[in-house]
Amino acid sequence: MISKEDIKHLEKIFPFWLDINQNDRAKIILSSRILSLKKNSIFFNSHELDGLLFLKSGKLRFFLSSLDARELPLYYLNNMEVEFFENFNDKTISTILDIAFIVEKNSEILLIPYSVLNLFRNKYSIMEKFLHNLTREKFSKSLLSLQNILLVPLKDRLLDFLYSLNKTEIFLTHEEIAKNLGSSREVISRNLKVLEKENFLKINRKKIIILDRGEVL
Amino acid sequence: MISKEDIKHLEKIFPFWLDINQNDRAKIILSSRILSLKKNSIFFNSHELDGLLFLKSGKLRFFLSSLDARELPLYYLNNMEVEFFENFNDKTISTILDIAFIVEKNSEILLIPYSVLNLFRNKYSIMEKFLHNLTREKFSKSLLSLQNILLVPLKDRLLDFLYSLNKTEIFLTHEEIAKNLGSSREVISRNLKVLEKENFLKINRKKIIILDRGEVL
């Protein structure tokens, strides 16, 4: 059971909230839960979180995990965004994908469990279409991310990533940067040195200092 | 309008065909079309083919296209398979993905146009769920393919690909193999030479001869 304030969130999550009949709305409200996720926890195919996730606060990073422990970044879930996280090992799907996520900041989520959603998917076409759109969007974002890794040279992606942080001093380890870019610590360190030689930044023992682009050009 | 035989195909495509009312079934039948696609034609974001594609015969290869003309292979559509090919530049989706396909063998498809499907998606939850499942399956297959490119060394993927053809003599050009593996001709040629040195195959001017694995081990 969730709070009155969270019930208001449900109207935002489901743009068609009022088209669902009152009884069914009550069932969704009663089965919804608020969960706190600690920074740095990782969830691999965790069925306890299957369903519609609404991120009240915090940040989640979704990635494809592989046997050799490399992480291929897919997309982020930010504040107030919705994600349909679904059991990929469903019998209707032949292939198995290990999509996992890591909690980047302490997060609070509103979860509508998969089992509850499933009760209404056949009844409300509009809900199924909404979930379908979430799947498509996730699909597009994930493919774009992997396409990016495959086609854009790492040095360029690294610089883009550092600029995107909008800070002049960056306190991430090379390991942390590697995870964000689906690369390894060694490769990132090597590319940072190249960028340092090219005067884009300076590497310090503790931080990376972004040089003003004016100085460079 | 399609033939009586094709109407039978519709029952296979939609497992719930008889749950659609007779009028709506008639509308689908009347708007469905048979199209012949010539070997080697390429379709980029071609909205004329948006909708539900049923491949009566032939083979289509779907890929992500990029500005530098590299192709990242996603999945195949084989005989008697169904694909929901949808306008990714829909306003509900922010990102733009260039998914294209090439006709690998002369193909015949049964197309139910997107505009017709859209008439019934809100009416029949079961249809929306069916389309959603097709999207998810496509999603899984595509991500697995890109994951494969990113994580499995090209030499291994190349050998797997050659073995998968189940032929002792392969008459594909290095360029054709490159397209199948999302690589370039130069890289494929270099890797073929390595495999030749390791006695997995012999390269000829016209063909690649696969050596018996018994000879190798």
Side-chain angles (χ1 to χ4, degrees):
Chain A
M1 183 67 183
I2 54 178
S3 73
K4 273 198 179 164
E5 190 210 323
D6 287 323
I7 295 173
K8 282 200 180 152
H9 282 316
L10 289 174
E11 295 176 33
K12 273 188 216 147
I13 299 171
F14 298 111
F16 46 88
W17 181 242
L18 295 174
D19 298 331
I20 298 174
N21 83 41
Q22 211 174 345
N23 262 336
D24 295 342
R25 288 208 300 267
K27 275 185 203 164
I28 293 175
I29 290 168
L30 283 168
S31 62
S32 295
R33 285 180 291 146
I34 299 294
L35 298 166
S36 290
L37 308 181
K38 280 237 158 131
K39 186 177 168 176
N40 291 331
S41 4
I42 299 181
F43 293 83
F44 289 100
N45 274 336
S46 77
H47 301 317
E48 50 187 319
L49 290 178
D50 272 356
L52 207 56
L53 291 180
F54 173 71
L55 192 63
K56 290 182 65 181
S57 63
K59 192 173 189 178
L60 310 179
R61 175 159 57 85
F62 286 79
F63 59 93
L64 265 180
S65 59
S66 70
L67 292 174
D68 64 353
R70 267 184 72 187
E71 294 178 5
L72 300 175
L74 296 178
Y75 53 91
Y76 287 97
L77 194 68
N78 292 307
N79 244 355
M80 309 293 273
E81 285 183 339
V82 181
E83 155 82 1
F84 179 46
F85 202 57
E86 179 181 25
N87 184 354
F88 266 100
N89 302 328
D90 194 289
K91 60 181 172 180
T92 54
I93 307 288
S94 48
T95 47
I96 294 174
L97 263 184
D98 281 326
I99 295 183
F101 67 86
I102 185 161
V103 183
E104 289 231 322
K105 297 178 186 169
N106 285 333
S107 297
E108 198 173 41
I109 60 174
L110 168 62
L111 175 72
I112 305 163
Y114 189 73
S115 56
V116 179
L117 285 176
N118 250 348
L119 295 176
F120 303 117
R121 291 170 69 175
N122 290 335
K123 188 167 178 180
Y124 298 107
S125 259
I126 206 166
M127 187 185 283
E128 185 63 36
K129 200 166 184 179
F130 171 74
L131 297 175
H132 188 174
N133 278 338
L134 288 176
T135 299
R136 278 181 65 200
E137 207 164 336
K138 190 159 74 170
F139 182 30
S140 305
K141 282 192 289 190
S142 302
L143 284 184
L144 275 175
S145 168
L146 297 188
Q147 178 177 255
N148 205 24
I149 296 177
L150 281 158
L151 299 179
V152 180
L154 183 69
K155 199 186 79 180
D156 298 348
R157 285 195 294 123
L158 174 57
L159 196 59
D160 276 352
F161 171 72
L162 295 174
Y163 283 151
S164 77
L165 300 172
N166 253 327
K167 285 178 183 160
T168 46
E169 300 197 335
I170 295 167
F171 290 89
L172 293 172
T173 66
H174 297 192
E175 181 72 33
E176 284 165 333
I177 296 172
K179 295 241 160 171
N180 270 285
L181 295 172
S183 183
S184 67
R185 193 189 52 72
E186 293 77 11
V187 173
I188 292 297
S189 298
R190 201 187 317 134
N191 276 278
L192 280 171
K193 272 182 203 142
V194 175
L195 287 171
E196 187 174 39
K197 257 195 183 160
E198 296 175 357
N199 276 325
F200 284 98
L201 46 84
K202 274 199 173 135
I203 312 170
N204 219 311
R205 222 162 47 89
K206 284 190 182 168
K207 61 187 178 186
I208 296 163
I209 304 156
I210 302 291
L211 298 179
D212 190 43
R213 293 175 104 158
E215 294 180 25
V216 181
L217 300 174
Chain B
M1 183 70 184
I2 54 178
S3 73
K4 272 197 178 164
E5 190 211 323
D6 287 322
I7 294 174
K8 281 198 180 154
H9 282 316
L10 288 174
E11 295 176 32
K12 273 188 215 147
I13 300 170
F14 299 110
F16 47 89
W17 181 242
L18 295 174
D19 298 332
I20 298 174
N21 83 41
Q22 212 174 344
N23 262 336
D24 295 342
R25 287 208 300 271
K27 275 185 202 161
I28 293 174
I29 291 168
L30 284 168
S31 62
S32 295
R33 284 180 291 146
I34 300 294
L35 298 167
S36 291
L37 308 181
K38 280 237 158 132
K39 186 176 169 176
N40 291 330
S41 3
I42 299 181
F43 293 82
F44 290 100
N45 273 336
S46 77
H47 300 316
E48 49 188 322
L49 290 177
D50 273 357
L52 207 58
L53 291 182
F54 173 70
L55 191 63
K56 291 181 64 180
S57 63
K59 192 173 191 179
L60 310 180
R61 176 161 55 85
F62 286 79
F63 60 92
L64 265 180
S65 58
S66 70
L67 291 175
D68 64 354
R70 268 185 71 187
E71 294 178 4
L72 299 175
L74 296 178
Y75 54 92
Y76 287 96
L77 193 70
N78 292 306
N79 244 355
M80 308 296 270
E81 285 183 340
V82 181
E83 154 83 2
F84 179 46
F85 202 58
E86 179 180 25
N87 185 354
F88 267 100
N89 302 328
D90 193 287
K91 60 180 172 179
T92 56
I93 306 288
S94 49
T95 45
I96 294 175
L97 263 183
D98 280 325
I99 296 183
F101 67 86
I102 185 162
V103 183
E104 289 231 323
K105 296 177 188 170
N106 286 333
S107 297
E108 198 174 41
I109 61 174
L110 168 61
L111 174 73
I112 306 162
Y114 189 73
S115 55
V116 179
L117 285 175
N118 249 349
L119 294 176
F120 303 117
R121 290 170 70 173
N122 290 335
K123 186 166 179 182
Y124 299 107
S125 260
I126 206 166
M127 188 186 280
E128 185 63 37
K129 199 168 187 177
F130 171 74
L131 297 176
H132 189 174
N133 278 337
L134 287 177
T135 299
R136 278 182 64 200
E137 206 163 335
K138 191 160 72 170
F139 182 30
S140 305
K141 283 192 288 187
S142 300
L143 284 184
L144 275 174
S145 168
L146 297 188
Q147 177 175 257
N148 205 27
I149 296 178
L150 280 158
L151 298 178
V152 180
L154 183 68
K155 198 185 81 179
D156 298 348
R157 285 194 294 123
L158 174 58
L159 196 59
D160 277 352
F161 171 73
L162 295 174
Y163 282 150
S164 76
L165 301 173
N166 254 327
K167 285 179 183 158
T168 46
E169 301 195 334
I170 295 165
F171 291 88
L172 293 172
T173 65
H174 298 190
E175 179 74 32
E176 283 165 335
I177 296 173
K179 296 237 158 170
N180 270 283
L181 295 171
S183 182
S184 67
R185 191 188 54 72
E186 294 76 10
V187 173
I188 292 298
S189 297
R190 201 187 316 134
N191 276 278
L192 280 171
K193 272 182 204 143
V194 174
L195 288 170
E196 187 175 40
K197 255 194 184 160
E198 295 175 357
N199 275 326
F200 284 98
L201 46 83
K202 274 199 174 135
I203 311 170
N204 218 313
R205 221 160 48 88
K206 284 191 181 167
K207 60 188 178 186
I208 296 163
I209 302 156
I210 302 291
L211 297 179
D212 190 44
R213 292 176 106 159
E215 293 179 26
V216 181
L217 301 172

